[in-house]
Amino acid sequence: AQTVTQSQPEMSVQEAETVTLSCTYDTSENNYYLFWYKQPPSRQMILVIRQEAYKQQNATENRFSVNFQKAAKSFSLKISDSQLGDTAMYFCAFMILRVYGNKLVFGAGTILRVKS
Amino acid sequence: NAGVTQTPKFQVLKTGQSMTLQCAQDMNHNSMYWYRQDPGMGLRLIYYSASEGTTDKGEVPNGYNVSRLNKREFSLRLESAAPSQTSVYFCASIRTGERPGANVLTFGAGSRLTVL
């Protein structure tokens, strides 16, 4: 079975500093996607960043970047210049691509608090 | 575009009552999903529908039924609600394939269900 592990239940960071959220996953598949989703107090699930497993280059989206280590099955999220609006629950997830029925598997989440 | 719309947003039930959560998407996505979110457990897949006319069990299907009414709509039914089904429920959809924007899960706003 595929699993996703986020080992940090809670983290905090000062505004304008950098923070890294950890994620590891377990799969025997070779073709998959990895995601980070953000869930602010509004409860809405918002896509932060996506990485295709076949791409060696790490994905970046403005202040958000990932460190994708395929051999180690690690997918960490780095948030630079943290802002108060980054306070949220962050979920790591991965999806195996199949001809029939792609399923997204989520980790338990990391609560990030940005302090002023 | 409205994206993914879930109703109701909040519901309180008594043990043994039944109810249906409705979900509709207007993005012409082929696959749809129902997840539940519980503290410390991330999002767990209840049921999914890879395409119109098909449904499959996810990780936690017991106590639930689903109907993929057409390509747009995917409903989740609790036939006899139990306190263990108190949770936040998310509907999501995805377009699979190679086109830009494919293989990214889009979520509804969530439905908070309390079973007394």
Side-chain angles (χ1 to χ4, degrees):
Chain A
Q2 287 80 26
T3 59
V4 178
T5 301
Q6 294 180 248
S7 59
Q8 305 150 316
E10 296 188 28
M11 293 192 72
S12 62
V13 63
Q14 286 296 129
E15 201 174 4
E17 292 187 345
T18 296
V19 64
T20 298
L21 308 183
S22 301
C23 173
T24 59
Y25 58 95
D26 185 23
T27 182
S28 57
E29 302 282 339
N30 196 46
N31 190 19
Y32 51 87
Y33 286 82
L34 291 158
F35 305 85
W36 279 97
Y37 277 87
K38 168 185 177 180
Q39 187 181 42
S42 67
R43 201 171 68 197
Q44 182 68 47
M45 293 287 287
I46 302 165
L47 177 68
V48 175
I49 200 164
R50 181 181 81 163
Q51 173 82 41
E52 292 94 330
Y54 65 86
K55 290 186 177 179
Q56 292 185 338
Q57 187 173 6
N58 289 326
T60 62
E61 286 287 342
N62 300 314
R63 297 183 295 108
F64 299 89
S65 61
V66 298
N67 183 5
F68 174 45
Q69 302 288 330
K70 190 173 184 178
K73 295 179 183 176
S74 171
F75 183 61
S76 60
L77 174 70
K78 186 172 82 171
I79 306 174
S80 304
D81 186 25
S82 297
Q83 301 175 359
L84 295 177
D86 295 334
T87 292
M89 173 81 87
Y90 286 81
F91 292 100
C92 177
F94 91 113
M95 179 174 69
I96 295 171
L97 300 180
R98 298 198 186 286
V99 173
Y100 175 83
N102 297 337
K103 291 188 287 185
L104 208 64
V105 178
F106 286 85
T110 296
I111 298 172
L112 176 68
R113 294 186 176 87
V114 180
K115 300 178 179 179
S116 60
Chain B
N1 285 345
V4 179
T5 303
Q6 289 180 233
T7 56
K9 286 188 167 47
F10 300 93
Q11 184 73 49
V12 178
L13 291 176
K14 294 180 180 177
T15 297
Q17 287 185 320
S18 62
M19 76 157 297
T20 300
L21 296 173
Q22 306 286 354
C23 176
Q25 53 90 11
D26 61 1
M27 298 170 288
N28 201 36
H29 287 177
N30 50 309
S31 299
M32 298 185 73
Y33 304 78
W34 277 105
Y35 285 90
R36 61 177 288 173
Q37 181 180 12
D38 302 291
M41 303 189 77
L43 279 77
R44 293 181 294 168
L45 183 63
I46 304 171
Y47 270 93
Y48 68 102
S49 170
S51 60
E52 185 179 355
T54 69
T55 60
D56 283 285
K57 295 178 180 179
E59 185 183 353
V60 288
N62 292 345
Y64 305 96
N65 285 303
V66 291
S67 295
R68 184 73 182 270
L69 304 170
N70 47 55
K71 190 171 186 179
R72 292 185 64 249
E73 299 172 287
F74 187 41
S75 62
L76 178 72
R77 182 161 179 83
L78 287 70
E79 291 291 351
S80 179
S84 61
Q85 293 178 305
T86 293
S87 188
V88 177
Y89 292 84
F90 285 94
C91 178
S93 68
I94 197 170
R95 182 178 71 238
T96 56
E98 300 295 325
R99 290 179 292 172
N103 302 319
V104 174
L105 210 62
T106 301
F107 285 86
S111 300
R112 180 176 293 277
L113 176 65
T114 301
V115 183
L116 302 175

